[in-house]
Amino acid sequence: MGTEISEPLVRDSGKVTGGSAAEEVIPRWKDQITVRGLAVSSLLGALFCIITHKLNLTVGIIPSLNVAAGLLSFFLVKSWTGFMSKLGISVKPFTRQENTVIQTCVVACYGLAFSGGFGSYLISMDERTYQLIGSDYPGNRAQDVKNPGLGWMIGFMFVVSFLGLFSLVPLRKVMIMDYKLTYPSGTATAMLINSFHTNSGAELATKQVRCLGKYLSASLFWSCFKWFFSGIGGSCGFDNFPSLGLALYKNTFYFDFSPTYVGCGLICPHIVNCSALFGAIISWGFLWPFISKHAGDWYPANLGNNDFKGLYGYKVFIAISLILGDGLYNLIKIFAITVREMINKGSKKSNIPIIMESMDSETSNVILEQRRRDQVFLKDRIPLWVAASGYVGLASISTMTIPAIFPPLRWYLVLSSYIIAPALAFCNSYGTGLTDWSLSSTYGKIGLFIIASLVGRSGGVVAGLAASGVMMSIVSTAADLMQDFRTGYLTLSSAKSMFVSQLIGTAMGCVVAPLTFWLFWTAFDIGDPDGPYKAPYAVIFREMAILGTEGFSELPKHCLAICCWFFISALLINLLRDLIPKRVSQFIPIPMAMAVPFYIGAYFAIDMFVGTVILFVWESVNRKDAEDYAGAVASGLICGDGIWTIPSALLSIFRTNPPICMYFGPSTGKSVL
């Protein structure tokens, strides 16, 4: 799954562990897809969709859950086969190919919770976001409102989510075998799955599962315990604990005891967590207090907290400028890397070294294993006519259907998007293979600006947001597919089983992602800037669309100049990261990670920083244990808090309120209610 922020996980693919490939009996592609595997995939897909929605609607940073998907699928199927064996019922052995297929299906399912725009472009169209920006704001029209509906969201998912899978299937050999792209996340996942299916690896996996279960239970209990003190509204309980004092609490500097954010801090690279905290210190520690002092001069002093002509406007547009600057730089960088590498590959193609027959046994085994992988990967071909006819047929259906869902997005604009989409999908997939950075959201923002400006004021906002979803979906699913092909290649899984599992997982996601989002939409006050589910990217995406149709004329005083400064700063920071030595550049913050707290607050950055401090100390004390169990601990914390979302939502639907409101105030007043 493509995320807003990612860092390379491994530098080199290396050797894949997991036994001799030459001795292993490879199941047929149909046998790699099992009923038990699909059942586990649907269960984990729903759980991870809930977790992704929660993160999307709170902070917008989505860590990779591939490791958790592989680990939990191993645990569930192994538990099932062990239980059936104790009953004396014969079951098929659990292979690494089946494990890979389940992981692929789960990732495809929950990936739509991100690329489906439930925390960004789709929810940007709703009435709350429209009202939050203000009916009197130029370009923000009441006609450009489309509230979430379960029926049209599922339909939209089905007509846009499959095209990316068909767009690059013919290039799988080129990307995986000819260019030998590493796809670091896919390689890391393959190494993990391969290790599970050896004796020593299975023993470690069992310990990891126990660790995950322990922290999942603790996280679930803690989330339940916190609920009893959270009262009515958004100002009670441990989520509003002024752990750093009341003065800093007013500027959102506090630790809110969130297992999810601490777990994210354990998974995300140290530089991402530190960048988020650095951005929080710059914005809430210095910039917003400085701008607030100019109330009455730079902007009217009597405006509400959410008025875009006041401080709120600075928060949103400066965050946008950082995000766009970071995205533009990385887009240009990865495009340049792609062109350079393709030229290098072409020039070296005729100079492939000839392998001499005199080889030691280890070298011979490596070559035999490489040949076996190539044979398995090429054995079950996906015909070119299937990919071509699938893409053309789905594009035709989508071109006719999308204008019925979003009338301002004309059919010829949809068709134009599908004509250029395969080229953009190739660029994104190639860049992801080289760097592990998926820029699907950047391509989506580019499509948003272009279509919004072409359509203009009459419908440009909705057209731009919908076009953003079309483009983002295609480039995201195409990159995910190639990532999974890399995993399948290294685990000796059939390319056909991987493709079919992607189709099944995507179909699951088209239903599960909207249904799980509907749970949040029905139970919670989504988009409330003072509530727990602020949906930060909803406002950002709608403002981008308005900018595409209206320009910058209505920004507060000096806002455009400050935005330009931060936009240029994002470009320069990225350039500096690439030019100076790695030993120094690893300490330079990432602008996109810095941008998130500019808008939503510092509290989640503090939680993630706590997670990174725990991991840093753990690595200092026992690096081996940290490498083996940090992912399991983080996954347990995130999953446990995610599971509590379900009973919490049901309690909210049935209007069952927490019995206690724990509130903190100065000692001169009442401190506890």
Side-chain angles (χ1 to χ4, degrees), residues 492-571:
L492 294 174
S493 303
S494 166
K496 188 174 288 186
S497 70
M498 300 298 293
F499 182 66
V500 172
S501 65
Q502 273 276 353
L503 291 174
I504 295 172
T506 302
M508 286 181 182
C510 289
V511 178
V512 173
L515 282 174
T516 48
F517 170 76
W518 200 249
L519 181 70
F520 283 87
W521 181 260
T522 306
F524 304 111
D525 199 6
I526 304 298
D528 181 3
D530 298 319
Y533 296 100
K534 296 177 176 65
Y537 280 99
V539 171
I540 288 175
F541 268 72
R542 189 173 184 91
E543 276 295 339
M544 287 181 182
I546 293 173
L547 279 178
T549 61
E550 295 290 324
F552 300 91
S553 59
E554 294 297 320
L555 296 182
K557 190 176 181 180
H558 300 304
C559 183
L560 181 58
I562 298 174
C563 287
C564 290
W565 191 89
F566 274 96
F567 178 84
I568 295 171
S569 297
L571 297 176

Side-chain angles (χ1 to χ4, degrees), residues 11 34 39 174 227 240 266 314 330 337 349 421-422 470 478 484 535 668:
R11 299 292 176 189
T34 62
V174 175
W227 177 83
N240 296 276
L266 286 165
Y314 292 95
N330 284 291
I337 292 174
K349 193 169 183 180
V470 170
D484 288 327
T668 54

Side-chain angles (χ1 to χ4, degrees), residues 33 146 192 198 230 267 279 292 326 419 428 433 455 478 487 556 559:
I33 304 172
K146 189 174 183 65
L192 179 77
T198 62
S230 58
I267 290 180
S292 298
D326 187 88
I419 291 174
N428 189 48
V455 175
T487 303
C559 183

